[in-house]
Amino acid sequence: MAQALDTSLLHQPAHSPSWFSLQRALRGRRADLVDFCIPCNPYFPSPEMLEQLRQGMVDILTYYPSDSATITAEACGALGLNPQTVAMGNGSTELITWIDHLLLRESVAVPVPTFGRWTDQPMETGKRVDMFPLREEDGFKLDVDAYAAFIRQRGSRAAVLCNPNNPDGNYLAKSEVLRLLDSLADLDLVVVDESFIDFTDAEPDPSVADQAVLRPNVVVLKSLGKNFGLHGVRFGYLVANPALAGRIRGALPRWNLNSFAEAMVFLLRDHLAEYRESLRIVARDRQEMFRNLQAVPGLGVLPSQANFLLTRLPEGVDGALLRDALFADHGVFIRECGNKLGMSSRFLRLVVRPVHDQQRLVSGLLAVLYGAGATPGWPTSPLPPVPQGLPALPPGAVPQVAVPQIAVQQIALPPLPMGAVPPPPGYRYG
């Protein structure tokens, strides 16, 4: 049985602790920790790209990077964008900060729950944040007409939309996003945060970035770190008409991008096919993980178009206690949503990971919730096969590793019925 660990680091008022903070706190006692919290792409960069980065490590650490214009031009060449319509930042949160300082005036409308910086950043600079509640009974889906009416009623001068949304993974069809942009053409600014849109497979061309460059008040935000599985590199970009993009570029430091970002950008052009394949595999794993989580009695699972799934715990279960037990006793790190506006501790955001990691997560959930490694109807080994119609992974794409034996330790949680919790009226959980 794993040695008891101090879980106080997990009790953050806003965001989850960093991976580095966790590793320092663990001091090697949990080398097998599996991360279901931080939304990375587990299949990119490819091993070949990582080897190239390793070979260049001394130069990357030793020398200054090129200026941001050089790195931006290369990224735009690889992604098919006009550099005049792009501003690259040291992470998407740097761009959110400058959008707030330069483009937001007195008020902004934001659906909640969503990514916390869209509410926190404007409030930190004294803006009025008009929060539009997304309802659980609607599966946290955004109603475009209701949101537009709310903006009019509140008199908001700007609006934000995250698509897909974080933490629920709901995706708004491109036609609906464009309809919203049309209805808000008189606002100072509308931001569409597409940080997770590359994981979407609901339609072939989901982004509205091509439309943003034609509109005077629209900014589309992208996060290369989330898509590429490289949060530590810190690079994101926005797309807007040349005037808006130029205003942000003019405020950014000339050398705001680091050498890791430059090295990665200059590798990208030759590895786009591998990137697209990684997205296909994540989509396959998402379907598998949705189905596997559905098999946990009492757990509600929302469909998602991002690389994470929002799950609802059975009535009476404290998500913070469950998170601590999964971390300390099972080596599983998850995102409990009790500190997100519009959410409660009953919700967990679980990042999509390979199938062998999913088995580790499900075994831990069953052990903590029910005091057992398996329940009737749940197969212990192997996990169910990929659903009919999904293409099989190429050999070696998902390494098959042995799932470690997990010590079962039940924590003091209220007894739960073995049947599924009934969904709220009007919406069906998976």
Side-chain angles (χ1 to χ4, degrees), residues 178-210:
L178 293 176
R179 190 164 70 85
L180 179 66
L181 297 182
D182 289 341
S183 71
L184 302 178
D186 60 320
L187 296 193
D188 297 337
L189 185 71
V190 182
V191 180
V192 183
D193 187 337
E194 293 185 347
S195 290
F196 296 99
I197 205 160
D198 281 10
F199 296 106
T200 298
D201 60 2
E203 53 185 324
D205 182 23
S207 176
V208 296
D210 59 339

mmCIF file of all heavy atoms in Angstrom, residues 178-210:
data_model
loop_
_atom_site.group_PDB
_atom_site.id
_atom_site.type_symbol
_atom_site.label_atom_id
_atom_site.label_comp_id
_atom_site.label_asym_id
_atom_site.label_seq_id
_atom_site.Cartn_x
_atom_site.Cartn_y
_atom_site.Cartn_z
ATOM 1 N N LEU A 178 -20.916 32.052 -35.893
ATOM 2 C CA LEU A 178 -21.014 33.168 -36.838
ATOM 3 C C LEU A 178 -22.307 33.951 -36.649
ATOM 4 O O LEU A 178 -22.335 35.182 -36.777
ATOM 5 C CB LEU A 178 -20.902 32.653 -38.270
ATOM 6 C CG LEU A 178 -19.536 32.067 -38.645
ATOM 7 C CD1 LEU A 178 -19.566 31.493 -40.059
ATOM 8 C CD2 LEU A 178 -18.436 33.116 -38.525
ATOM 9 N N ARG A 179 -23.371 33.248 -36.317
ATOM 10 C CA ARG A 179 -24.638 33.942 -36.051
ATOM 11 C C ARG A 179 -24.515 34.837 -34.824
ATOM 12 O O ARG A 179 -25.028 35.965 -34.805
ATOM 13 C CB ARG A 179 -25.751 32.902 -35.855
ATOM 14 C CG ARG A 179 -27.155 33.487 -35.820
ATOM 15 C CD ARG A 179 -28.193 32.407 -36.027
ATOM 16 N NE ARG A 179 -28.291 31.498 -34.897
ATOM 17 C CZ ARG A 179 -29.039 31.738 -33.809
ATOM 18 N NH1 ARG A 179 -29.739 32.860 -33.714
ATOM 19 N NH2 ARG A 179 -29.102 30.846 -32.836
ATOM 20 N N LEU A 180 -23.794 34.358 -33.797
ATOM 21 C CA LEU A 180 -23.561 35.177 -32.611
ATOM 22 C C LEU A 180 -22.706 36.398 -32.965
ATOM 23 O O LEU A 180 -23.003 37.530 -32.537
ATOM 24 C CB LEU A 180 -22.880 34.347 -31.529
ATOM 25 C CG LEU A 180 -22.542 35.086 -30.229
ATOM 26 C CD1 LEU A 180 -23.810 35.520 -29.507
ATOM 27 C CD2 LEU A 180 -21.687 34.209 -29.321
ATOM 28 N N LEU A 181 -21.646 36.191 -33.756
ATOM 29 C CA LEU A 181 -20.794 37.315 -34.148
ATOM 30 C C LEU A 181 -21.591 38.357 -34.927
ATOM 31 O O LEU A 181 -21.407 39.569 -34.730
ATOM 32 C CB LEU A 181 -19.617 36.815 -34.976
ATOM 33 C CG LEU A 181 -18.631 35.866 -34.282
ATOM 34 C CD1 LEU A 181 -17.490 35.508 -35.234
ATOM 35 C CD2 LEU A 181 -18.094 36.469 -32.998
ATOM 36 N N ASP A 182 -22.477 37.904 -35.802
ATOM 37 C CA ASP A 182 -23.308 38.842 -36.563
ATOM 38 C C ASP A 182 -24.194 39.666 -35.637
ATOM 39 O O ASP A 182 -24.361 40.873 -35.838
ATOM 40 C CB ASP A 182 -24.180 38.079 -37.570
ATOM 41 C CG ASP A 182 -23.382 37.506 -38.736
ATOM 42 O OD1 ASP A 182 -22.252 37.986 -38.972
ATOM 43 O OD2 ASP A 182 -23.886 36.571 -39.394
ATOM 44 N N SER A 183 -24.758 39.018 -34.630
ATOM 45 C CA SER A 183 -25.680 39.722 -33.735
ATOM 46 C C SER A 183 -24.968 40.681 -32.790
ATOM 47 O O SER A 183 -25.606 41.555 -32.205
ATOM 48 C CB SER A 183 -26.496 38.706 -32.925
ATOM 49 O OG SER A 183 -25.679 38.059 -31.966
ATOM 50 N N LEU A 184 -23.635 40.518 -32.643
ATOM 51 C CA LEU A 184 -22.874 41.366 -31.716
ATOM 52 C C LEU A 184 -21.894 42.266 -32.466
ATOM 53 O O LEU A 184 -20.884 42.710 -31.906
ATOM 54 C CB LEU A 184 -22.106 40.492 -30.716
ATOM 55 C CG LEU A 184 -22.956 39.532 -29.866
ATOM 56 C CD1 LEU A 184 -22.055 38.699 -28.947
ATOM 57 C CD2 LEU A 184 -23.988 40.291 -29.046
ATOM 58 N N ALA A 185 -22.218 42.573 -33.719
ATOM 59 C CA ALA A 185 -21.295 43.346 -34.549
ATOM 60 C C ALA A 185 -21.096 44.766 -34.048
ATOM 61 O O ALA A 185 -20.117 45.428 -34.415
ATOM 62 C CB ALA A 185 -21.798 43.366 -35.999
ATOM 63 N N ASP A 186 -21.987 45.253 -33.192
ATOM 64 C CA ASP A 186 -21.858 46.619 -32.684
ATOM 65 C C ASP A 186 -21.064 46.708 -31.377
ATOM 66 O O ASP A 186 -20.825 47.817 -30.878
ATOM 67 C CB ASP A 186 -23.249 47.220 -32.460
ATOM 68 C CG ASP A 186 -24.068 46.434 -31.449
ATOM 69 O OD1 ASP A 186 -24.003 45.178 -31.488
ATOM 70 O OD2 ASP A 186 -24.757 47.047 -30.618
ATOM 71 N N LEU A 187 -20.653 45.585 -30.807
ATOM 72 C CA LEU A 187 -19.873 45.633 -29.569
ATOM 73 C C LEU A 187 -18.450 46.098 -29.859
ATOM 74 O O LEU A 187 -17.961 46.047 -30.979
ATOM 75 C CB LEU A 187 -19.829 44.247 -28.913
ATOM 76 C CG LEU A 187 -21.131 43.634 -28.407
ATOM 77 C CD1 LEU A 187 -20.818 42.422 -27.522
ATOM 78 C CD2 LEU A 187 -21.983 44.634 -27.651
ATOM 79 N N ASP A 188 -17.762 46.526 -28.788
ATOM 80 C CA ASP A 188 -16.355 46.899 -28.939
ATOM 81 C C ASP A 188 -15.510 45.696 -29.354
ATOM 82 O O ASP A 188 -14.593 45.818 -30.167
ATOM 83 C CB ASP A 188 -15.798 47.449 -27.614
ATOM 84 C CG ASP A 188 -16.484 48.726 -27.170
ATOM 85 O OD1 ASP A 188 -17.055 49.428 -28.027
ATOM 86 O OD2 ASP A 188 -16.443 49.024 -25.961
ATOM 87 N N LEU A 189 -15.824 44.525 -28.767
ATOM 88 C CA LEU A 189 -14.986 43.357 -28.991
ATOM 89 C C LEU A 189 -15.757 42.078 -28.699
ATOM 90 O O LEU A 189 -16.537 42.025 -27.736
ATOM 91 C CB LEU A 189 -13.748 43.412 -28.073
ATOM 92 C CG LEU A 189 -12.708 42.309 -28.263
ATOM 93 C CD1 LEU A 189 -11.970 42.494 -29.588
ATOM 94 C CD2 LEU A 189 -11.710 42.291 -27.108
ATOM 95 N N VAL A 190 -15.527 41.047 -29.520
ATOM 96 C CA VAL A 190 -15.993 39.690 -29.234
ATOM 97 C C VAL A 190 -14.782 38.776 -29.368
ATOM 98 O O VAL A 190 -14.119 38.760 -30.416
ATOM 99 C CB VAL A 190 -17.107 39.235 -30.190
ATOM 100 C CG1 VAL A 190 -17.583 37.836 -29.811
ATOM 101 C CG2 VAL A 190 -18.270 40.215 -30.182
ATOM 102 N N VAL A 191 -14.479 38.025 -28.319
ATOM 103 C CA VAL A 191 -13.350 37.097 -28.324
ATOM 104 C C VAL A 191 -13.887 35.675 -28.396
ATOM 105 O O VAL A 191 -14.742 35.284 -27.587
ATOM 106 C CB VAL A 191 -12.475 37.246 -27.066
ATOM 107 C CG1 VAL A 191 -11.309 36.249 -27.106
ATOM 108 C CG2 VAL A 191 -11.947 38.670 -26.944
ATOM 109 N N VAL A 192 -13.387 34.905 -29.360
ATOM 110 C CA VAL A 192 -13.697 33.482 -29.448
ATOM 111 C C VAL A 192 -12.413 32.737 -29.085
ATOM 112 O O VAL A 192 -11.432 32.766 -29.831
ATOM 113 C CB VAL A 192 -14.182 33.077 -30.855
ATOM 114 C CG1 VAL A 192 -14.560 31.599 -30.872
ATOM 115 C CG2 VAL A 192 -15.367 33.941 -31.277
ATOM 116 N N ASP A 193 -12.417 32.102 -27.938
ATOM 117 C CA ASP A 193 -11.249 31.362 -27.457
ATOM 118 C C ASP A 193 -11.339 29.935 -27.999
ATOM 119 O O ASP A 193 -12.149 29.139 -27.535
ATOM 120 C CB ASP A 193 -11.227 31.373 -25.926
ATOM 121 C CG ASP A 193 -9.954 30.759 -25.346
ATOM 122 O OD1 ASP A 193 -9.311 29.960 -26.049
ATOM 123 O OD2 ASP A 193 -9.638 31.048 -24.180
ATOM 124 N N GLU A 194 -10.487 29.638 -28.974
ATOM 125 C CA GLU A 194 -10.482 28.318 -29.616
ATOM 126 C C GLU A 194 -9.283 27.486 -29.167
ATOM 127 O O GLU A 194 -8.716 26.712 -29.942
ATOM 128 C CB GLU A 194 -10.466 28.486 -31.141
ATOM 129 C CG GLU A 194 -11.733 29.104 -31.702
ATOM 130 C CD GLU A 194 -11.754 29.164 -33.227
ATOM 131 O OE1 GLU A 194 -10.685 28.963 -33.859
ATOM 132 O OE2 GLU A 194 -12.843 29.398 -33.789
ATOM 133 N N SER A 195 -8.923 27.601 -27.908
ATOM 134 C CA SER A 195 -7.728 26.920 -27.405
ATOM 135 C C SER A 195 -7.781 25.406 -27.601
ATOM 136 O O SER A 195 -6.734 24.764 -27.725
ATOM 137 C CB SER A 195 -7.522 27.238 -25.922
ATOM 138 O OG SER A 195 -7.132 28.577 -25.745
ATOM 139 N N PHE A 196 -8.986 24.822 -27.612
ATOM 140 C CA PHE A 196 -9.106 23.365 -27.720
ATOM 141 C C PHE A 196 -9.762 22.919 -29.023
ATOM 142 O O PHE A 196 -10.129 21.752 -29.169
ATOM 143 C CB PHE A 196 -9.912 22.815 -26.533
ATOM 144 C CG PHE A 196 -9.242 23.023 -25.199
ATOM 145 C CD1 PHE A 196 -9.611 24.075 -24.378
ATOM 146 C CD2 PHE A 196 -8.237 22.171 -24.775
ATOM 147 C CE1 PHE A 196 -8.985 24.271 -23.147
ATOM 148 C CE2 PHE A 196 -7.605 22.352 -23.549
ATOM 149 C CZ PHE A 196 -7.983 23.410 -22.732
ATOM 150 N N ILE A 197 -9.911 23.823 -29.979
ATOM 151 C CA ILE A 197 -10.728 23.495 -31.157
ATOM 152 C C ILE A 197 -10.064 22.470 -32.073
ATOM 153 O O ILE A 197 -10.748 21.775 -32.850
ATOM 154 C CB ILE A 197 -11.092 24.774 -31.943
ATOM 155 C CG1 ILE A 197 -12.385 24.535 -32.741
ATOM 156 C CG2 ILE A 197 -9.953 25.216 -32.856
ATOM 157 C CD1 ILE A 197 -13.101 25.775 -33.170
ATOM 158 N N ASP A 198 -8.759 22.322 -32.015
ATOM 159 C CA ASP A 198 -8.109 21.317 -32.876
ATOM 160 C C ASP A 198 -8.527 19.896 -32.506
ATOM 161 O O ASP A 198 -8.397 18.978 -33.326
ATOM 162 C CB ASP A 198 -6.588 21.441 -32.778
ATOM 163 C CG ASP A 198 -6.044 22.578 -33.620
ATOM 164 O OD1 ASP A 198 -6.852 23.384 -34.122
ATOM 165 O OD2 ASP A 198 -4.810 22.675 -33.769
ATOM 166 N N PHE A 199 -9.030 19.698 -31.289
ATOM 167 C CA PHE A 199 -9.470 18.365 -30.874
ATOM 168 C C PHE A 199 -10.885 18.044 -31.334
ATOM 169 O O PHE A 199 -11.370 16.941 -31.136
ATOM 170 C CB PHE A 199 -9.390 18.243 -29.344
ATOM 171 C CG PHE A 199 -7.993 18.357 -28.806
ATOM 172 C CD1 PHE A 199 -7.575 19.505 -28.159
ATOM 173 C CD2 PHE A 199 -7.091 17.318 -28.961
ATOM 174 C CE1 PHE A 199 -6.288 19.622 -27.665
ATOM 175 C CE2 PHE A 199 -5.802 17.418 -28.483
ATOM 176 C CZ PHE A 199 -5.391 18.579 -27.831
ATOM 177 N N THR A 200 -11.549 19.018 -31.959
ATOM 178 C CA THR A 200 -12.931 18.847 -32.393
ATOM 179 C C THR A 200 -13.002 18.047 -33.691
ATOM 180 O O THR A 200 -12.260 18.316 -34.634
ATOM 181 C CB THR A 200 -13.581 20.231 -32.617
ATOM 182 O OG1 THR A 200 -13.595 20.947 -31.384
ATOM 183 C CG2 THR A 200 -14.989 20.099 -33.141
ATOM 184 N N ASP A 201 -13.907 17.077 -33.729
ATOM 185 C CA ASP A 201 -14.138 16.348 -34.975
ATOM 186 C C ASP A 201 -15.608 16.392 -35.386
ATOM 187 O O ASP A 201 -16.059 15.596 -36.206
ATOM 188 C CB ASP A 201 -13.657 14.897 -34.864
ATOM 189 C CG ASP A 201 -14.368 14.103 -33.766
ATOM 190 O OD1 ASP A 201 -15.267 14.655 -33.094
ATOM 191 O OD2 ASP A 201 -14.012 12.925 -33.564
ATOM 192 N N ALA A 202 -16.349 17.355 -34.851
ATOM 193 C CA ALA A 202 -17.781 17.452 -35.147
ATOM 194 C C ALA A 202 -18.054 17.943 -36.561
ATOM 195 O O ALA A 202 -19.080 17.613 -37.157
ATOM 196 C CB ALA A 202 -18.460 18.387 -34.140
ATOM 197 N N GLU A 203 -17.153 18.755 -37.122
ATOM 198 C CA GLU A 203 -17.274 19.217 -38.498
ATOM 199 C C GLU A 203 -15.869 19.485 -39.041
ATOM 200 O O GLU A 203 -14.934 19.705 -38.272
ATOM 201 C CB GLU A 203 -18.178 20.444 -38.608
ATOM 202 C CG GLU A 203 -17.824 21.610 -37.708
ATOM 203 C CD GLU A 203 -18.861 22.729 -37.814
ATOM 204 O OE1 GLU A 203 -19.392 22.963 -38.923
ATOM 205 O OE2 GLU A 203 -19.133 23.356 -36.781
ATOM 206 N N PRO A 204 -15.702 19.463 -40.368
ATOM 207 C CA PRO A 204 -14.350 19.490 -40.931
ATOM 208 C C PRO A 204 -13.563 20.763 -40.656
ATOM 209 O O PRO A 204 -12.353 20.716 -40.453
ATOM 210 C CB PRO A 204 -14.603 19.322 -42.438
ATOM 211 C CG PRO A 204 -15.964 18.724 -42.546
ATOM 212 C CD PRO A 204 -16.740 19.248 -41.382
ATOM 213 N N ASP A 205 -14.221 21.926 -40.636
ATOM 214 C CA ASP A 205 -13.509 23.204 -40.484
ATOM 215 C C ASP A 205 -14.194 24.030 -39.407
ATOM 216 O O ASP A 205 -14.955 24.954 -39.695
ATOM 217 C CB ASP A 205 -13.501 23.940 -41.829
ATOM 218 C CG ASP A 205 -12.741 25.251 -41.754
ATOM 219 O OD1 ASP A 205 -11.879 25.395 -40.858
ATOM 220 O OD2 ASP A 205 -13.013 26.142 -42.585
ATOM 221 N N PRO A 206 -13.945 23.728 -38.134
ATOM 222 C CA PRO A 206 -14.729 24.344 -37.065
ATOM 223 C C PRO A 206 -14.321 25.768 -36.703
ATOM 224 O O PRO A 206 -15.103 26.498 -36.089
ATOM 225 C CB PRO A 206 -14.485 23.404 -35.882
ATOM 226 C CG PRO A 206 -13.121 22.842 -36.133
ATOM 227 C CD PRO A 206 -13.026 22.693 -37.622
ATOM 228 N N SER A 207 -13.127 26.213 -37.049
ATOM 229 C CA SER A 207 -12.627 27.508 -36.592
ATOM 230 C C SER A 207 -13.281 28.664 -37.337
ATOM 231 O O SER A 207 -13.599 28.553 -38.534
ATOM 232 C CB SER A 207 -11.117 27.581 -36.767
ATOM 233 O OG SER A 207 -10.632 28.862 -36.412
ATOM 234 N N VAL A 208 -13.431 29.796 -36.632
ATOM 235 C CA VAL A 208 -13.927 31.023 -37.269
ATOM 236 C C VAL A 208 -12.788 32.020 -37.480
ATOM 237 O O VAL A 208 -13.032 33.206 -37.733
ATOM 238 C CB VAL A 208 -15.062 31.676 -36.444
ATOM 239 C CG1 VAL A 208 -16.269 30.758 -36.386
ATOM 240 C CG2 VAL A 208 -14.596 32.046 -35.046
ATOM 241 N N ALA A 209 -11.539 31.559 -37.397
ATOM 242 C CA ALA A 209 -10.402 32.464 -37.557
ATOM 243 C C ALA A 209 -10.406 33.141 -38.921
ATOM 244 O O ALA A 209 -10.031 34.316 -39.050
ATOM 245 C CB ALA A 209 -9.095 31.708 -37.344
ATOM 246 N N ASP A 210 -10.842 32.406 -39.968
ATOM 247 C CA ASP A 210 -10.863 33.005 -41.302
ATOM 248 C C ASP A 210 -11.857 34.149 -41.396
ATOM 249 O O ASP A 210 -11.699 35.065 -42.216
ATOM 250 C CB ASP A 210 -11.163 31.933 -42.355
ATOM 251 C CG ASP A 210 -12.498 31.234 -42.130
ATOM 252 O OD1 ASP A 210 -13.014 31.262 -40.984
ATOM 253 O OD2 ASP A 210 -13.040 30.634 -43.088
#
